[in-house]
Structure formats: structure tokens, C-alpha cells
Amino acid sequence: MKKNFLLLTVALPSLLIAFPSFAAESEIKDRNTHKSTEIISDIPSLSEIELPATNAELLTQQSAPSKVNPETEQTPNDDADIYIETIAEPDNLPQSTPTYVIDKEEIQKQGATSLADILKRMPGFAINDVGHGADTHTGTYYRGASINQSVFLINGRPINNNVNTYHGGTDLNSIPVEAIERVELYSGTASALFGSSAFGGVVNIITKEGYGKPKLNASAEFGSLSLNNQQLTYGGSSNNVKYNFSFERFFTDNRYRVPVGAANRDSQGFLSNADTATSTYFGSIGLDLDKKNSLSLDVTALSSRRGLIYFGFPLQKDRLDHDGLNVGLSWKTRLGNGESSNLTTSIGYNQDYFNTYGPTGAFYRTGTLDTQQLTARVDHEWKITSNNKLRWGLDLKNTDLTGDVLSTNPSRIVNNGTEDRSLFNTALFAVDTWNISDNFLIDLGLRQTFDSQFGNYLNPSVGLRYAVTPVVAVRGSWAGAQRNPGLDQLYVYDTVHGWEPNSDLRPETGSTWSAGVDVNFSQNLIGQFTYFGSSIGDRLGVIAGRWENIGLVDTNGLEAALQLRIAGGWSTFLNYTYTDAQIKTGSESGLQLGLIPYSVLQTGLGYEKAGWQANLYVTYNSGARRSIFANSTDKATDFAPSFVNLDLSGRVPLTSNLGLTFYLENLLGEQYERVNRIYSPGFTFRLGLSANF
């Protein structure tokens, strides 16, 4: 397993050697200049790069103006009568840890159909099961931390709902892809801004706004496994009003042959009960009141119907219905003159309704989790002096959960019933950034939380960044964290697994850290290398069918990201993550945490010119340890085999506003095991048309 670590030492030099002659022939976008008084160095922090060093947009050459690439959306120009960016998330982020960004152009090129599709190619992520046959949450990890040990936001508002198990975990399909402007990923001291539970990181989904003349974009695609997907968006601006509305419908039956021993293999040898149908709706309206004040409202709604294939042998028949609603209203104002003081106030409402149901032999079961969450946030950015910036504020969150379970199995009838639980959480946060000198800064963060279930606790954080030379900068961070058990783990019986709640569960506590270096190898080649780690005590797990605190998990790893812009419309990227998440206590002490691969490598080569696009993506996955519902012949030390996957996507312009898109996935046709006896379908394709008017 350690040999997979050698991939990094082999792949990185090869990339650097392969393209030196091209490095001087094209230029990366100019850096933002408004922060030049803070760091006088040729190696910028990521928040100072217009195209961040790990922005996957660099996979293909930067698009020419919209008349060359008709699908590039119109953006505001210098004369636009727009004063304030009307999103809930302020722009000032701690600079001591990387901020990774992937934008709408790259999302479109990749052919992403869900947020999981988007995240899988970002550094540090290991997502075991996406695409055809994917379940609602099937192993999503960032730097070894699970999906519930990270914080997910939409326009700066939380969408994690304090529900943790399979039918209530954060659904990465809950945001329509067509509505996403970009996805940002940060960690370290940024966790103090958004939540104490960020052992992994913070994922912020920024949604689209309308600009300029009204514009209609539409696409439709069809493909293997009865896949059909339609997307529609309409947006623009009029005077001081900006608006954007999106709709997306997705369906696939996910019926394909799988090998003997696969999860949910029916009597005919096909994957069964894996169909997926989702409809998502999004709308936003922004209003510039004057040169100092703006309001924005965004609404996201989801309706999802799917089968569950992940949680049992021989054949899982349970179904999952998920309906969601997320509403946010924000007000942004400039206090005083200039940009030295900005205040953002936002309120939000989030509802998730999860219902699982299905037959189990002669019996029937159903489980419902209905979560409603109200949030409020006051966030103030204040440039106190020329070398000191403070970001501080207040978070309020009230969560109500109704859990209703029913089983006709005589052995489970005792657990039938309804639970109504509420939780109130308040937090004060602050991150202070000091520019000690022109090339040295320190971030200091604190988050004080008051929780109605688990009392009061303080989570500090610290980060630093030092530009050693004009082309090399070093950085590091440390943050304390606490993740509380979900209300369902505390009080609601899990009908599908038969897992019992435990009201005596303790919070997971620990810390995370990172150390890294940013290097400008040349004008067109930027590299980032990060050592990361975490120590999580009282980690939650299931023992003998009951939620328990199972002990300590220590994680160490390496994350590398390279971006290269090549001449003539060519460019490439490489992301590599090595994760050693070792269980330190209990019967599995010394083993890798289940479902987390040691090595994940993503690389790609792209070409773009005059509306034509071609993108080749390569993925290597070392395979993860099987851990849940494995076959009786499996051992606790067994790993799924490693695999390599190739995807090809492209666009052919047909007219000035119409293009043909194609996505050829798994070109090698290998039916590899993605995770825990769930197998890929082999080669699949999608063909579509996209247009704008």
C-alpha cells in the first residue's frame, strides 16, 4: 500500500519535464492588485489570485470573449450599474491555508451532474461512489474526514442539518449544477468562521447571479442506462435588479450487469433498485439599494426519488424519498467610506425531509427524518489599520427534528415510535489577520460556542504564511474542533440498519493541522504542496448494532496540486492526495479507516479554441478497505482493488449559439469496484445539445 505514495514522486517530475518549452508562451491572468500593500511578493496567497493556483479552470485555456465561446456567460463590465456583489459570503478569507476554487466553465467541461461530481476532482477529496449507480452518500471524505466532519454552505449559509446517518446525511445532489457559479474549498483558520465541526474543511457553494441583458441557456442530454438530463436557466439584470432562475431534471435507471458478489445483484445478474430521479429548482434576486447597500434572496428546492443499494446483502429493496427547501436572505452594507468596513447580515431556512421504506422478506419498515433549521448570521469585515484586518460576528442556529420509525418485524416493534427534538446553537467567531511585515502574516481565530445539548466550548486556531523568496512561500495552520453527535444518533432508531440510538454519546473532539509550500515554478506553472493531519478522539461508530464512541483516529497525509498553462490553447493539471487514516484504539487498531483510499490521483489535459473543446481526465484510486456489510469470506484487512479511469469530454460548435457536447466515461471499459462491492457499469456515454439565446 505504501508503494502508492511513490506515484507522487514519479508523476510530479514527469509533468514538470514534459512541458518546459511551453511555459513561456502564455500568461496566467494578472493577479489582483488591491492587496499589494499587504504582501509584497511574487508568490501570492490564493485569495490574491484571480485564477487560484488550484482552480480547475486552468485545465483548459482561458476562454476568449463570448463571441468566440458562445456559452461563456456575460459578466459585468466597468460601466455596469452594479455596486455590490450580492452574495451572503464576504470575500476576505484567511490566507494561511489554500483556497481551492472550481468555476462554472470547468463544471460544464467536466459534465458534472451533481456536487459530488464537482468535488471529486478537487485536491484532498476522495469520493468513492459518484455517477451511475451512486447512492445518496457513499463515502465522501476530505483529508480523511467524513462528509459530516466538514461544513457545507450555500452562499455562506450552512446546509448541514445535524443529522448524520444514511437517510439524513448531507445530500450532494441537493443543489442544481446549473445554478452553481463556483465551488470554494478552504480549511485551517477558516473553520473558525463557519463551524466547530470542520475536522475536514469548508465547502462553500456560490450560486449564479444575473448580469446584463436577459439570457436563456438550455441543454439536454441522453446516454447510457436510460440517462436523460435537462437543464434550463434564465438570468439578467435591469437597472439595479439582478435575477437568475434555474431548473434541472435528471433520471437514470442504473441497470447494468454486475459480477457475482456485488451489492444488489438480482437473479438475472443486474444491479437492482438503483434508479435515480431528481428535480431541482433555483431562483435568486439581487437588489442594489444604493452605492452602499444591497439585498439578495435565493431559494433552492429539491425532489429526489431513488433506490438504496449500499447497505446490505443480498438484495436491498429500500427506497429513499428526499425533499428539500433552502431559503436565504442577506443584506450587505458598507460602513463608513471606502472598503475598510463591510457588514453582512443573513437569515436562512433549511428543511430536509428524508423517508426510507421497503419490504424485508415478510415484513415492512419505514423511517422518516424531518429536519427544519433556522439560521441567522452577522458577519463584519473591518480593516482596522493598513496591516491588520478583523473578521468577526455571530451565528445563531435552531434545529427541530421529527423522527418517525415503524417496523412490522416482531423483533423491532419495540423501537417503533416518534421523537421530537430541538437544538439551539449560538457561536461568536473572530479571525484577526496581522501583516507583521511585507511578506509575513499571521491569522488568529477563535470560535466560542454555546450549545443547548453539549454546553459551552472554545475552539482556537492559528495560521501563518511567509514568503521566503519572490517565488516560494511557506504556510502552516492549526485548529481545534468539536463535532457533536446528530440528533438522530442520539434519539432515533435506524430502521434500515437496525442501529439503536444512544443518548449518552459524547462529542468528537480533536484538532487539525497543515504545513505547506507554494511555488511559482514559472509564469505559467504554479504548484502547491500540503502536509495535513488530524487527531479525532471519541470518534462515533456502531458497535453491536448501537451508536458508540469507538475511540481515536489519527490522520496524516500529503496533498499536491499543479497547474500548467501551455501554448496554443493547451493546458493541464495534476492533483494527488495520500491519506493515512489510522485507527488507534479498539479491535481494528492499526488499520486504515474503512472506505478511505491511501492514494487518489487526478490529472487532465485540455484543449480549447474558437468554441471547440476536448478534455481528457485520468483518475487513479488505490482502493479502500471494505468495512460495511462485506461478504462473510472477507477479512477486516481486505482492500478493494486499485483502478484507473479515463474520461473524455468535448464540445463541437454547430452555430454561434448552439453546441454539441459529449462525455465518454470509463474509456477503458473496466468494471472496477468503486467501494464496498459496488461496481462501475464499465463504459458509458452521454450526448447532448446546449444553446443560449
Side-chain angles (χ1 to χ4, degrees), residues 435-481:
N435 286 12
I436 305 301
S437 67
D438 290 339
N439 56 0
F440 180 49
L441 66 82
I442 294 179
D443 294 316
L444 300 174
L446 287 174
R447 188 175 183 90
Q448 175 66 55
T449 303
F450 308 90
D451 190 276
S452 63
Q453 184 83 35
F454 294 100
N456 308 331
Y457 46 94
L458 178 69
N459 297 116
S461 60
V462 61
L464 59 87
R465 190 175 188 277
Y466 177 64
V468 182
T469 72
V471 295
V472 176
V474 295
R475 50 182 162 74
S477 67
W478 177 92

Side-chain angles (χ1 to χ4, degrees), residues 137 140 145-150 152 160 163-165 168-170 197 483:
H137 87 299
T140 298
S146 71
I147 189 173
N148 291 306
Q149 291 167 330
S150 297
F152 284 79
N160 299 66
V163 175
N164 292 274
T165 55
T170 304
S197 60
R483 184 179 80 96

Side-chain angles (χ1 to χ4, degrees), residues 538-539 549-553 582-590:
D538 280 330
R539 189 180 178 101
N549 292 101
I550 62 175
L552 177 66
V553 174
Q582 190 173 125
I583 301 171
K584 292 294 186 179
T585 57
S587 60
E588 295 186 338
S589 177

Side-chain angles (χ1 to χ4, degrees), residues 1 61 166 287 367 549:
M1 59 189 176
Q61 191 80 359
Y166 72 99
L287 175 63
N549 292 101

Side-chain angles (χ1 to χ4, degrees), residues 533-574:
S534 66
S535 181
I536 304 176
D538 280 330
R539 189 180 178 101
L540 294 169
V542 176
I543 299 177
R546 187 171 187 258
W547 283 104
E548 302 283 358
N549 292 101
I550 62 175
L552 177 66
V553 174
D554 283 347
T555 299
N556 292 275
L558 179 66
E559 184 180 285
L562 284 170
Q563 300 290 342
L564 177 63
R565 177 75 57 82
I566 314 171
W570 293 88
S571 57
T572 188
F573 80 99
L574 185 146

Side-chain angles (χ1 to χ4, degrees), residues 129 256 258-265 271 309-310 312-313 595 624 626-635 638-641 672-680:
D129 194 22
Y256 54 89
V258 291
V260 175
N264 256 51
R265 185 178 189 268
L271 182 68
I309 63 173
Y310 188 58
F313 290 95
L595 309 181
R626 301 189 186 106
S627 64
I628 300 176
F629 294 101
N631 290 334
S632 59
T633 56
D634 290 341
K635 300 177 182 178
D638 285 349
F639 276 69
Y672 51 80
E673 183 180 348
R674 293 191 287 206
V675 60
N676 239 46
R677 302 297 185 185
I678 296 180
Y679 292 83
S680 77

Side-chain angles (χ1 to χ4, degrees), residues 25-148:
E25 297 185 32
S26 61
E27 294 184 357
I28 297 177
K29 280 188 174 181
D30 293 336
R31 300 174 196 153
N32 294 343
T33 58
H34 67 280
K35 297 182 182 178
S36 59
T37 59
E38 300 167 12
I39 304 242
I40 303 177
S41 168
D42 287 343
I43 179 73
S45 69
L46 285 177
S47 61
E48 296 178 301
I49 303 175
E50 188 173 353
L51 281 180
T54 50
N55 190 337
E57 183 178 341
L58 290 180
L59 175 62
T60 55
Q61 191 80 359
Q62 174 64 20
S63 299
S66 58
K67 64 180 181 180
V68 176
N69 182 359
E71 291 205 346
T72 301
E73 290 194 7
Q74 183 178 353
T75 56
N77 54 43
D78 294 337
D79 299 325
D81 190 20
I82 296 171
Y83 305 117
I84 301 175
E85 184 181 10
T86 55
I87 58 175
E89 169 56 20
D91 299 324
N92 181 34
L93 290 168
Q95 301 173 27
S96 52
T97 51
T99 299
Y100 300 126
V101 178
I102 186 167
D103 63 18
K104 62 180 182 293
E105 285 83 10
E106 181 58 26
I107 293 170
Q108 183 185 62
K109 293 169 188 174
Q110 292 181 5
T113 59
S114 67
L115 181 59
D117 267 336
I118 297 171
L119 295 176
K120 72 179 181 182
R121 290 195 173 101
M122 298 187 82
F125 264 98
I127 301 182
N128 294 322
D129 194 22
V130 296
H132 298 289
D135 207 275
T136 185
H137 87 299
T138 48
T140 298
Y141 299 92
Y142 179 63
R143 294 181 175 178
S146 71
I147 189 173
N148 291 306

Side-chain angles (χ1 to χ4, degrees), residues 163 165 167-168 352-355 367-371 401-403 488 492:
V163 175
T165 55
H167 49 349
D352 276 311
Y353 174 86
F354 290 88
N355 183 46
T368 299
L369 293 178
D370 188 1
T371 309
L401 171 69
T402 300
D488 57 330
V492 182

